[in-house]
Amino acid sequence: MNSAEKLLEGLHTGFIDEKMPSSDAYQPRLLVNDHKRGKKVLTSILQELNQCNEFYFSVAFVTNSGVASLINVLKVLEEKGVKGKILASQYQNFTEPRALKRLLGLKNIELRIVTEGNFHAKGYLFKKESEYSFIIGSSNLTQNALSSNKEWNVKLSSMNNGALILNTLKEFEYTFDNATVVSEFWIDQYSKIYQENRRQKDTFKGHEGELLVAEENVSYLNRISPNKMQIEALYSLENLRLSNKKKALLISATGTGKTYLSAFDVKNVNPKKFLFVVHRENIAKAAMKSYRAILGHSAKMGLLTGYSKCPDADYIFSTIQTLSKTDTLYSFKENHFDYIVIDEVHRSGANTYQKVLEHFQPEFLLGMSATPERTDGFDIFKAFDYNIAYEIRLNRALEEKMLSPFHYYGVGDIVIDGELMKEQAAFNKLVCEERVNKIIKYAELYGCDRGRVKGLVFCSRVEEARELSQAFNLRGYKTIALDGSTSEDLREKSIERLEEDHGMDLLDYLFTVDIFNEGVDIPSVNQIIMLRPTQSAIVFVQQLGRGLRKCGGKEYLTVIDFIGNYSNNYLVPIALYGDNSYNKDSIRKLMNSGSSFIPGASTINFDTISNQKIYEAINMAKLSLKKDLTNDYKLLKYKLGKIPTMMDFALHGSRDPFAFVIYEGSYYAFVAENEIEVNGVMTSKEMKLLEFYSKEVLNGKRIEETIILEILIEQGSTSFEKIIDAINDKYHYTPEIKTIRSAISLLNGQFFKEQDQQKYGIENTIVCSNNELSLSIQFNNALENKYFKAYIKDAMAYAQHQFESHYSPERFKNGFILYQKYSRKDACRILGWEKDESSTVYGYRIKFNTCPIFVTYHKTDEISSSTKYEDHFINKDQFNWMTRNKVTLESTEVVQLKNHQEGFRIPLFVKKSDGEGSDFYYMGDMAPMDFIQKTIKNDKGAELPIVNIKFKMLSSVDEAMMGYLEG
């Protein structure tokens, strides 16, 4: 089928009948921004840019943030020589000069601007070999329009001679030809107009954006009001107090205004005496300033620090070092303070904090932290009676626009002597000229939002920070290196020099080691450079958070992460996407999604090398070591104040609990090893039965088994019809009777090999008589044990949760979910095979009117020449595949495929490489189109017969998924 025919089918689907099958690429499509569904206009534009030969943009407004969203792919197109034309507008003087300057610096782009009239045209056109695709709608070239605003855009396709695209191109060229050529001189002249326009529009903003007013202007500052999430948290705090709770823990991501939130609560409570405890004097000063902004001069406030002593103030802001001194601490009575706030409360396991907490008995104690999860043995959650007032995590804060958006760029670190920078690189390589030049090159390429750069550079060693700072200074930058030995006074002065906009003593960068991970407030930071291996997702987020605070004049944060050949690279996507499941497939899918699932206007961009290194790190990582499982188990137990269930892990965004099942056989078995009170509460037979269901049945890959068990445990008996109705009601599809029978066979162990049945001691669970189902006596006896019942119901709830997290009616294809991973055993089970024959399937097998095909996309060099089959996607709608060798057109299996009848299934399962493990992504069902007899050489050079088959995909393959497999 040629492109024109595919386009006709796509138009039929889009404008006549949605049920008409056609290629997604040619269907008219509405593009919107909705990160929860993985949809962004930006994603579609990036995909089109990656596939085009030429491109044309017509937009009313261009901002630096919009260019930042596209800069990586625009640089790649420049290197490829793919040319583009961009037409912008001077309307309302909104287009940013800096954005125009960055575009002008790309040699492959012609840039013009409409300087008169109300030019509002917004369209993105992409030329390919024999066709065009184009996006017309409401999105300008700004980060918000491309990623977060409520925008409507229509994506269409056209052959080269289509009237609509020719008219659109004609209109574009006419306007472009009559527009002003953008030059350096024109930008310089326009910058004066733009700056004056900005000056006139600048207004005061609340604490969520800019705090531009003087501290003494109390009447205006008191207008600051809590945002949506802070209101929810305040409501929760009040409810805790109404329930006679005297302690609460606030978990609040860096930059989300937890100090303001505590001030709002203190204002509501109105204590006579109040204490705010911090670990550094500059934080105490900043906190007092924030409280003054909320409370005005209604309370007498003072500092209690090494240099300032106001112990008689009603509201005291103290450093822990000063407060914990015996003379100071015991000068206050136990009940002196009505309300105490402990900032960065994850530090409270230290002796100094314990001394203070043991002394005071306030009416209410509030602990605040961005990262309360500790593995040092101190249970912070217990210390606060497990009263979690509220959680404001990074992704939710981005979604609520509490933080500055960020544009993250993962860059492959330098190659020295043919090798990418390694984790334990010699010091001379860390500071060599080649590396310094590369750091500066990318710092200038990605730049910052507007104004001058105010950067933090995180280094791995003190000597590295000092040497790099000196190297930057020799190249004209003004920088300083700070570390643990630097005095508090020098740190504060350096921060002031970084934040200032005027004067002769300004700083461009602070090079630092460890000291700025937390407890420092530098709102105007607009660029962060990471030059060290990521050893902790928590530390990564802390360092990222240094630049996420909103500030006047800052539209976004630039993050440049130099990614070397480090074993812990897999922690980067875990930190960026906030996925703590430690499930490799989840991490890969998020990596592959780019920016689609990131809230707001933030973007994530990896270059080819860094992308490759992170995938390699994911493949090589051992994410289920016993010590890691135990740490995560303890953390959640601390947080909840009880033994967590599998569903607790799922609902709290923690580690995928199936890792415990894989490691120990069942989740209960892991718990029993760690908790004396539940050890030995099940018989060995019950434990084996639980292991069988947990590991082999309730993995979330098919829902029928779970629903059958759920109904039978709740009701005692049921029927085929009731099960089918229950599934239809909940998931809107009707399973066939044979599927229900297959599920019963699995539940009864009949599907499994004899050795597996003996291993688990499987007996029939389901009794089937005249279409009526009931539980066996043996299983009912097991359910009499409350522990067995609780743990199997928990495993069932998890299986249902897993299925629903991947399921959608559009992606559900007769048992399989598109782009979900399945093992060969899962495939045999879902296809309804009578027995598990996964060990004999290999690349494919024809049985029971089905032929599942399993493909490793990138084959290793170690395999024999005669098995290096040419399996690949020709495009989104066609797949090229080879049979096993020594097969001809007359072979039985080829004849069966040629003569297949309606109902014969050929599902395709693909994994990128052997490093991904034994599971494969379901890519959809196929139908054979062409059969060609070929030959393939074995290791000795002999020609062996083989058949090449071209398949049609029955549903077009997702572009991002195909890009991941091919990359």
Side-chain angles (χ1 to χ4, degrees), residues 324-566:
S324 62
K325 289 179 179 177
T326 301
D327 291 345
T328 305
L329 182 62
Y330 293 104
S331 68
F332 298 100
K333 292 183 179 179
E334 295 177 1
N335 60 354
H336 181 85
F337 297 104
D338 307 304
Y339 193 137
I340 296 177
V341 172
I342 308 293
D343 194 25
E344 307 293 359
V345 73
H346 53 266
R347 297 169 173 267
S348 61
N351 291 334
T352 50
Y353 282 90
Q354 286 299 299
K355 186 177 177 181
V356 169
L357 289 170
E358 288 170 4
H359 175 67
F360 289 118
Q361 299 294 323
E363 284 298 310
F364 195 71
L365 175 67
L366 178 64
M368 304 192 302
S369 174
T371 55
E373 296 89 351
R374 316 301 288 179
T375 57
D376 56 9
F378 180 66
D379 188 347
I380 296 171
F381 299 99
K382 181 179 180 181
F384 281 81
D385 299 335
Y386 307 105
N387 297 326
I388 300 174
Y390 201 72
E391 290 193 50
I392 306 176
R393 297 293 190 178
L394 176 62
N395 276 34
R396 175 80 193 278
L398 286 169
E399 189 174 333
E400 295 293 336
K401 299 183 179 179
M402 298 174 70
L403 301 174
S404 169
F406 65 86
H407 296 296
Y408 169 94
Y409 305 97
V411 179
D413 213 330
I414 63 169
V415 175
I416 301 176
D417 298 330
E419 290 187 358
L420 194 66
M421 182 75 72
K422 291 187 177 179
E423 201 152 351
Q424 301 301 326
F427 176 70
N428 63 323
K429 292 184 178 180
L430 292 175
V431 297
C432 70
E433 185 175 5
E434 187 178 354
R435 190 176 192 228
V436 173
N437 290 340
K438 183 164 184 178
I439 294 167
I440 291 174
K441 170 189 169 184
Y442 281 102
E444 292 178 348
L445 170 65
Y446 295 124
C448 60
D449 57 345
R450 54 174 168 255
R452 69 182 195 85
V453 67
K454 301 178 181 182
L456 289 181
V457 185
F458 291 101
C459 303
S460 55
R461 310 178 194 178
V462 172
E463 297 85 356
E464 177 191 9
R466 292 173 181 171
E467 289 284 342
L468 289 176
S469 173
Q470 186 176 351
F472 265 58
N473 292 339
L474 290 173
R475 286 163 172 79
Y477 288 92
K478 295 180 179 178
T479 79
I480 192 170
L482 305 173
D483 56 65
S485 65
T486 309
S487 70
E488 188 78 22
D489 184 54
L490 179 56
R491 291 186 201 180
E492 289 194 29
K493 286 180 179 176
S494 299
I495 291 171
E496 289 174 7
R497 290 172 62 193
L498 185 76
E499 291 221 277
E500 285 293 330
D501 286 315
H502 306 288
M504 299 296 293
D505 197 28
L506 306 179
L507 284 174
D508 301 310
Y509 289 100
L510 301 180
F511 286 78
T512 176
V513 181
D514 295 333
I515 60 171
F516 285 167
N517 290 355
E518 60 184 18
V520 64
D521 190 13
I522 319 177
S524 63
V525 165
N526 55 20
Q527 188 187 87
I528 286 176
I529 300 177
M530 296 180 172
L531 296 177
R532 75 295 161 274
T534 298
Q535 300 292 353
S536 160
I538 290 175
V539 172
F540 184 99
V541 171
Q542 287 175 333
Q543 293 177 344
L544 175 67
R546 294 308 105 208
L548 292 180
R549 195 176 297 278
K550 285 191 170 184
C551 176
K554 182 170 82 174
E555 188 178 3
Y556 65 86
L557 168 71
T558 299
V559 184
I560 309 169
D561 191 4
F562 286 83
I563 297 172
N565 195 16
Y566 307 144

